[in-house]
Amino acid sequence: MNPIKHRILLGAQWGDEGKGKVVDHLSAEADWVIRFQGGNNAGHSLWVNGKKTVLHLIPSGILHPHTTCIIGEGVVMDPGVLIKEITQLQEANVFKKASDRIKISERTHVILPIHRGIDVARESKAKGTKAHIGTTGRGIGPAYETKALRRGIRVIDLFDGAHYSEKVEMMMAEYAHHFTREELGELKSQSVIDLEYWKKIFEPMLIDTTSYLKGGEAQGKKMLFEGAQGVMLDQDHGTYPYVTSSFTTSPSAGIGAAYPKVTRAAKVVGVAKAYVTRVGSGPFPTEMLGKHVEGEEKRGEEIRKVGQEFGATTGRPRRIGWQDLVALKYAVDVAGIDEIALMKGDVLSGMGDFKVCVGYQKQDGSLWKTYPANADELLKMTPQYETFPGWKKATPEDPHYQKYINYVEQFLGVPVTFIGYGPERDAMIVRDGKRLGHEA
Ligand code: GDP
Ligand code: IMO
Ligand code: MG
């Protein structure tokens, strides 16, 4: 009997750690895969038999025909994006009838053109200032904002035309000051949608998530909860204000998937790269590029090229940094991570010595070993590094990679149970994890 029934999978850094690949891999053994936060700011890449699929809203278990994929109420859902994703998967013969494979909570909030409009308008106004977050421009922040304002629109609201129009009016009224009368008129007309068409698509997928998951639990379904973004982008615990607008740590799975009884019993996997990347603004102490440090600039460029570090959602080049174990240790503690999936070590193979940040030095010379809350303070600190000999192969047979893994485990106090060594589904080692008293 496998002692681990349910898993929650989280990004442990600033997103794009390889969550899609790990979820796809683990979905071979899961019955249900559930997204619980974020929206189509996520871009999760899967490689199966040389073919790449990028998913933004549909859970990354969808390529396994036996799975049911659920979009929980903690997610914000752009209906146009979901329909496009469904169509692409149908064209690729992943499924015929979407409602056989995809379920969506009736309480999930929807992203409308006004949300995207506000996101883009705010960001362009803030360009070149500290207020510029570098969002994905997908309307994620404003959608969570209207939810908190109690002016949001949920999937269930799409099924009653009069009710929907009234809600759109109420939402728009809150944002009148952001736009000219003409702009507002345009956004409003874009929000007048063919509700009958949407109803036809979404109605067969609708679920009451709590009773659905409760039923799944009774039937013995094995559930995999798929996080988006990463712990360092969490609204409470990340590098605020340079964060996303949702909660990316493990308790969020209990809320966003609406059945905490199962998530409480789940093991939490934190996905981390062997190095670090970040897209958008915000502090990044171990950043290699842009600091003009001898040798680092070139190495950063090389990692970006070999690791194909360009955003799966926006195509933006990702910022590259040395591994930051202070941030990762903080992520393990704050997000309740039990085990680590260490990805993309293969990108560093053959590149020579590799640095790992193990503390930050403050200006007064004292050493800071936890992750500071103040982003400005962080910018003034100097990372303290340990240097590791480079490896030829990113698997435990290579003594240098093994040494790096051992160090990571010691530092974090949790085992590295999965090792990714390439983008393909099967380029992954699942370790027995008996070390550090782990039973999986
Ligand atoms: P996610 O947002 O966490 O799902 O990650 P992304 O899909 O945005 O970015 C991760 C990228 O790394 C994708 O292009 C993956 O195909 C790729 N990838 C994932 N795991 C590995 C790995 O172990 N090695 C290599 N070389 N690439 C990987
Ligand atoms: P996955 O799931 C990396 C970043 C944006 C920006 C900040 C806020 O693929 O790992 P938002 O549009 O959410 O308001 O942007 O968060 N961001 C991500 N970075 N991977 C992601 O998702 C991200 N989703 C948002 O770049 O800095
Ligand atoms: Mg991504």
Side-chain angles (χ1 to χ4, degrees):
M1 195 187 82
N2 187 341
I4 296 181
K5 186 156 182 145
H6 311 295
R7 274 199 166 93
I8 300 172
L9 192 125
L10 309 171
Q13 294 161 325
W14 280 272
D16 302 328
E17 300 90 346
K19 296 177 292 295
K21 180 202 151 113
V22 185
V23 171
D24 175 54
H25 186 95
L26 293 178
S27 294
E29 284 189 12
D31 299 307
W32 289 1
V33 187
I34 304 132
R35 274 277 309 265
F36 54 89
Q37 48 73 228
N40 59 308
N41 47 352
H44 295 178
S45 321
L46 327 178
W47 279 92
V48 183
N49 300 326
K51 187 171 180 293
K52 185 180 189 180
T53 305
V54 179
L55 298 165
H56 302 286
L57 273 170
I58 296 175
S60 301
I62 194 75
L63 299 188
H64 292 271
H66 67 273
T67 59
T68 295
C69 291
I70 298 164
I71 297 175
E73 54 226 57
V75 172
V76 286
M77 186 275 280
D78 186 323
V81 173
L82 182 56
I83 291 171
K84 193 166 158 210
E85 211 159 282
I86 287 172
T87 310
Q88 280 166 353
L89 292 172
Q90 275 167 334
E91 282 167 7
N93 287 321
V94 173
F95 50 75
K96 277 200 180 67
K97 200 165 147 214
S99 57
D100 288 346
R101 299 285 316 283
I102 300 167
K103 308 287 170 198
I104 179 160
S105 164
E106 54 195 7
R107 292 178 171 86
T108 302
H109 279 245
V110 295
I111 299 179
L112 292 177
I114 189 151
H115 295 114
R116 289 193 297 271
I118 292 162
D119 196 355
V120 172
R122 264 191 199 142
E123 284 283 279
S124 72
K125 203 168 144 217
K127 197 117 206 164
T129 75
K130 273 175 91 172
H132 189 252
I133 308 288
T135 71
T136 58
R138 301 301 194 259
I140 306 299
Y144 281 113
E145 185 175 309
T146 51
K147 173 173 167 171
L149 263 177
R150 288 148 298 167
R151 292 289 184 275
I153 291 177
R154 301 183 297 171
V155 178
I156 195 77
D157 300 319
L158 301 175
F159 300 132
D160 174 347
H163 184 61
Y164 171 78
S165 307
E166 191 187 8
K167 290 211 154 207
V168 170
E169 287 288 347
M170 279 163 60
M171 182 198 286
M172 295 287 219
E174 295 291 337
Y175 291 95
H177 57 285
H178 272 272
F179 300 98
T180 62
R181 191 191 293 256
E182 291 72 37
E183 285 168 339
L184 263 184
E186 174 59 25
L187 287 169
K188 207 159 118 187
S189 69
Q190 287 173 23
S191 303
V192 179
I193 31 115
D194 187 346
L195 289 178
E196 280 309 309
Y197 169 69
W198 281 12
K199 187 170 175 180
K200 220 167 99 194
I201 296 179
F202 293 127
E203 201 166 34
M205 298 183 205
L206 284 199
I207 53 166
D208 175 278
T209 330
T210 305
S211 30
Y212 196 81
L213 262 63
K214 189 171 182 184
E217 184 195 25
Q219 292 163 41
K221 299 289 183 199
K222 205 166 164 177
M223 301 185 205
L224 175 58
F225 297 84
E226 174 180 1
Q229 291 78 54
V231 176
M232 300 309 283
L233 288 171
D234 178 271
Q235 198 181 340
D236 275 336
H237 310 297
T239 45
Y240 191 88
Y242 304 101
V243 294
T244 190
S245 301
S246 66
F247 303 99
T248 58
T249 65
S250 59
S252 181
I255 300 169
Y259 197 58
K261 198 159 155 254
V262 161
T263 52
R264 266 206 318 262
K267 275 269 185 245
V268 182
V269 185
V271 187
K273 277 176 186 160
Y275 48 97
V276 187
T277 63
R278 164 160 217 180
V279 200
S281 321
F284 190 12
T286 64
E287 185 159 24
M288 294 176 188
L289 291 166
K291 285 194 179 154
H292 311 295
V293 178
E294 179 78 22
E296 289 201 358
E297 201 90 17
K298 196 163 157 270
R299 174 67 75 87
E301 294 286 2
E302 203 181 351
I303 293 176
R304 181 182 281 162
K305 190 160 158 241
V306 178
Q308 283 296 296
E309 296 297 356
F310 298 90
T313 297
T314 58
R316 291 178 290 178
R318 294 174 181 150
R319 299 160 68 188
I320 313 284
W322 303 109
Q323 179 62 282
D324 187 338
L325 288 183
V326 183
L328 195 52
K329 170 92 181 115
Y330 168 71
V332 164
D333 293 340
V334 81
I337 290 170
D338 299 308
E339 49 191 7
I340 294 285
L342 193 64
M343 315 301 286
K344 299 192 89 161
D346 56 297
V347 171
L348 306 172
S349 298
M351 282 191 192
D353 289 359
F354 181 70
K355 291 204 297 188
V356 174
C357 173
V358 295
Y360 304 129
Q361 191 170 39
K362 285 172 68 176
Q363 279 174 319
D364 65 6
S366 61
L367 206 58
W368 193 295
K369 289 241 176 201
T370 57
Y371 205 84
N374 184 337
D376 291 329
E377 190 74 12
L378 191 56
L379 287 172
K380 293 187 220 141
M381 294 182 186
T382 315
Q384 303 297 297
Y385 292 107
E386 291 276 342
T387 300
F388 285 80
W391 45 87
K392 290 198 180 74
K393 227 175 146 207
T395 62
E397 300 116 53
D398 186 310
H400 288 177
Y401 200 56
Q402 179 68 62
K403 186 174 172 197
Y404 174 55
I405 293 170
N406 287 350
Y407 190 87
V408 169
E409 289 184 324
Q410 290 300 323
F411 197 99
L412 302 180
V414 293
V416 172
T417 12
F418 303 95
I419 298 170
Y421 60 90
E424 274 281 338
R425 176 184 277 174
D426 295 327
M428 184 123 107
I429 294 168
V430 181
R431 302 167 89 208
D432 71 10
K434 291 211 174 77
R435 311 165 72 223
L436 301 177
H438 200 69
E439 77 278 34

